[in-house]
Amino acid sequence: MKALKITYWISTGLVVIGMLFSFYNYFFNPALKDAYVHVGFPDWFRVELGIAKLLGALALGIPIVPARIKEWAYAGFFINFFSAFLSHFMINDPVSNQLAPLLLLLLLVISYITFHKAIIKK
């Protein structure tokens, strides 16, 4: 059980750090505006997604947030990471651009599984 909790907190922590870093870049890195244009998304979507990433990171990272809210954060991040991979794949971006969302998706799945095994089923 201890190994599951450690795995949960490491994987969740990495996802949360990644999303907080992403949130910061979405609002304070001008290159991200160009990246959204490159992928074909409007600028308002960058802002909306940045806010959602902040809220989702807080939901996953704060232990007292109810499990039902965490489930929504997991679902939102799953859709976000898979969509990011698909967007980069469809416009033939380099594989390096496609790997980051897949890595985050893998960490998210590990976090989700260990959340249910170690945290919810105490």
Side-chain angles (χ1 to χ4, degrees):
M1 186 59 90
K2 187 174 184 176
L4 279 174
K5 284 187 178 184
I6 291 170
T7 303
Y8 165 74
W9 283 111
I10 289 173
S11 59
T12 303
L14 290 171
V15 170
V16 168
I17 289 168
M19 293 303 92
L20 292 175
F21 180 72
S22 182
F23 162 77
Y24 176 81
N25 276 323
Y26 276 33
F27 287 96
F28 302 108
N29 184 350
L32 261 289
K33 284 186 177 187
D34 296 335
Y36 265 72
V37 170
H38 168 71
V39 176
F41 294 131
D43 191 52
W44 62 263
F45 186 62
R46 174 188 56 85
V47 174
E48 179 181 33
L49 197 54
I51 293 168
K53 286 183 177 196
L54 174 63
L55 295 174
L58 293 173
L60 291 185
I62 299 172
I64 62 170
V65 171
R68 183 173 294 215
I69 303 297
K70 289 183 186 289
E71 291 285 344
W72 280 100
Y74 278 117
F77 282 142
F78 184 90
I79 292 166
N80 176 253
F81 298 154
F82 185 75
S83 297
F85 160 73
L86 195 58
S87 295
H88 289 291
F89 177 78
M90 295 304 288
I91 63 168
N92 295 317
D93 266 354
V95 173
S96 59
N97 291 8
Q98 300 171 31
L99 288 179
L102 288 179
L103 176 62
L104 283 166
L105 184 60
L106 175 63
L107 288 169
L108 184 76
V109 168
I110 292 168
S111 172
Y112 182 77
I113 290 169
T114 56
F115 173 67
H116 282 278
K117 287 185 176 182
I119 306 302
I120 289 184
K121 297 185 181 191
K122 291 184 179 179

